[in-house]
Amino acid sequence: IALAALLADALLALKGNIPLNEMISNWTTAEYPSNWKKYQLRWFRLYHVRQIINLTGFVSLVAGWVFGI
């Protein structure tokens, strides 16, 4: 489970957050799209999904270590 969570996190980062980060880093304070809130919301959703996946993987890893599963 922990390995699957790690791979899912890496895939979401590579296909989701990193491309959004690159796109957003090209914006200037003077010129940014009028729908920037849409990009912000998408980034935060991906971030929250990644955190849930990471927490699940970590808890399963610790449970496996503690209980010898």
Side-chain angles (χ1 to χ4, degrees):
I1 293 172
L3 178 61
L6 177 66
L7 295 174
D9 175 52
L11 183 65
L12 279 173
L14 291 172
K15 297 292 183 180
N17 287 107
I18 292 174
L20 281 171
N21 286 343
E22 290 174 356
M23 182 175 36
I24 291 169
S25 68
N26 292 326
W27 299 348
T28 64
T29 55
E31 292 183 29
Y32 56 91
S34 60
N35 62 345
W36 67 272
K37 284 274 191 190
K38 180 182 100 173
Y39 294 104
Q40 180 189 31
L41 182 62
R42 185 172 172 208
W43 191 92
F44 274 116
R45 283 184 183 158
L46 285 168
Y47 177 76
H48 289 128
V49 168
R50 288 179 60 209
Q51 293 309 307
I52 291 168
I53 290 170
N54 285 329
L55 185 59
T56 302
F58 179 72
V59 167
S60 70
L61 187 65
V62 170
W65 177 68
V66 169
F67 299 111
I69 300 174

